Amino acid sequence: MSVQFTLTSEEGLPIRGNLDVPADALALVVLVHGFKGFKDWGFFPWVAEYLTEHRFAVCRFNMSRSGIGENPETFDRLDLFAEDTFSTQLADLHTVVEYAQEQHRLSTFLLGHSRGGGVALLGAREISGLCGVITWNAIARVDRWDDAAKQKWREDKKLDVENARTKQVMAISTRALDDLPRHDILGASAKLEVPLLAIAGGDDETIPYAESKELTSAASEAVFVKIRTASHTLNAVHPFVTVPRQLELATAITCRFIAAYAE
């Protein structure tokens, strides 16, 4: 069974997603995209298909302020993107998980990529029925700017970032800056009450694999896997052309982890 859904966020914004459920599903896996990511980017549809073939239900969704509007691959709502925060994303995650669990009462896992891995860890404690968290090239801290950069951010009332793929300049308001002190990813990892699998690429050009090691060192039950030749996106690109062996390996390891801890 495959359905497309639209939920309403706490701010009244649409959260669009897909829920794919195979017959006799063993568990539910919620995919959490990262910064400037979206549910249909590159490897996400392929990962969802791979997991469903292994009898796992998969829910993937766009954060309400991801910048993606009705067109599933176009950043045409940069006004929403500008006001995005970790707090907003956590609220969206909980809304989606609650919806997916209402549809199918299954053991639940979170799989987050990059910033999505940090969001998964931050939101884990408030999710009932959670059996494990998987991160791919996750961030270990939310504050990634020095004092000078943050001062300029406040002076300009925005921070401009470029989307390398679309070449769009995407502004972030100071709302996101004000929200940073509220969140501690390493602290959340230390309080995690379910197993953690952290997979990281040795050739990650965006986030050092050492951050994934920090996450597993903080957690009480965790496994760290380094894929030496994997990039930040596990060597996948958008549009998705071929399946890199690094991505296939990460997904296979993820499947084994889910199967081992599903209740």
Side-chain angles (χ1 to χ4, degrees):
M1 182 187 72
S2 180
V3 298
Q4 294 183 341
F5 62 84
T6 301
L7 308 177
T8 302
S9 76
E10 288 186 351
E11 299 176 302
L13 299 171
I15 304 172
R16 299 179 177 90
N18 300 72
L19 179 59
D20 300 309
V21 185
D24 301 321
L26 301 173
L28 167 68
V29 185
V30 179
L31 306 184
V32 190
H33 69 73
F35 184 59
K36 295 182 289 185
F38 50 100
K39 68 180 178 66
D40 294 304
W41 183 91
F43 59 58
F44 282 114
W46 179 85
V47 170
E49 182 178 357
Y50 185 107
L51 292 173
T52 56
E53 288 176 353
H54 287 76
R55 296 177 61 196
F56 301 127
V58 180
C59 182
R60 54 190 169 96
F61 67 101
N62 288 336
M63 296 290 182
S64 61
R65 290 188 176 274
S66 64
I68 299 288
E70 293 186 9
N71 187 320
E73 295 197 14
T74 302
F75 285 99
D76 55 4
R77 292 303 308 270
L78 298 186
D79 56 322
L80 297 181
F81 179 88
E83 301 293 321
D84 197 14
T85 65
F86 277 91
S87 292
T88 299
Q89 294 195 2
L90 286 168
D92 288 351
L93 173 63
H94 292 139
T95 296
V96 170
V97 171
E98 182 178 352
Y99 162 78
Q101 289 181 333
E102 285 177 351
Q103 307 308 305
H104 303 277
R105 298 293 179 181
L106 296 167
S107 301
T108 302
F109 294 79
L110 302 179
L111 167 54
H113 172 249
S114 192
R115 174 170 170 163
V119 172
L121 287 166
L122 289 169
R125 281 177 64 86
E126 297 180 30
I127 295 176
S128 62
L130 188 67
C131 292
V133 176
I134 305 104
T135 62
W136 289 1
N137 290 326
I139 59 173
R141 53 192 56 83
V142 300
D143 191 345
R144 313 188 72 79
W145 299 270
D146 60 27
D147 290 340
K150 287 186 283 190
Q151 181 178 346
K152 188 174 189 308
W153 190 345
R154 290 207 179 279
E155 291 172 352
D156 296 343
K157 296 183 172 54
K158 65 173 184 174
L159 173 69
D160 288 335
V161 296
E162 182 182 3
N163 186 315
R165 180 177 64 87
T166 67
K167 306 305 178 185
Q168 291 170 285
V169 176
M170 307 171 74
I172 308 172
S173 78
T174 54
R175 183 188 184 200
L177 180 58
D178 293 336
D179 185 62
L180 295 180
R182 300 180 59 185
H183 307 290
D184 177 7
I185 297 174
L186 282 173
S189 187
K191 296 175 182 177
L192 194 63
E193 297 177 350
V194 295
L196 167 66
L197 168 64
I199 298 177
D203 285 341
D204 190 333
E205 69 284 6
T206 303
I207 299 172
Y209 68 82
E211 293 199 32
S212 289
K213 293 188 72 173
E214 288 182 77
L215 293 172
T216 53
S217 294
S220 59
E221 184 178 357
V223 176
F224 169 73
V225 176
K226 175 184 173 183
I227 301 177
R228 184 177 57 82
T229 58
S231 69
H232 185 61
T233 59
L234 298 161
N235 299 66
V237 297
H238 184 85
F240 198 64
V241 180
T242 60
V243 181
R245 58 187 178 86
Q246 294 87 350
L247 172 64
E248 191 166 18
L249 177 58
T251 311
I253 294 170
T254 296
C255 267
R256 293 292 296 272
F257 176 86
I258 297 169
Y261 288 101
E263 296 179 352

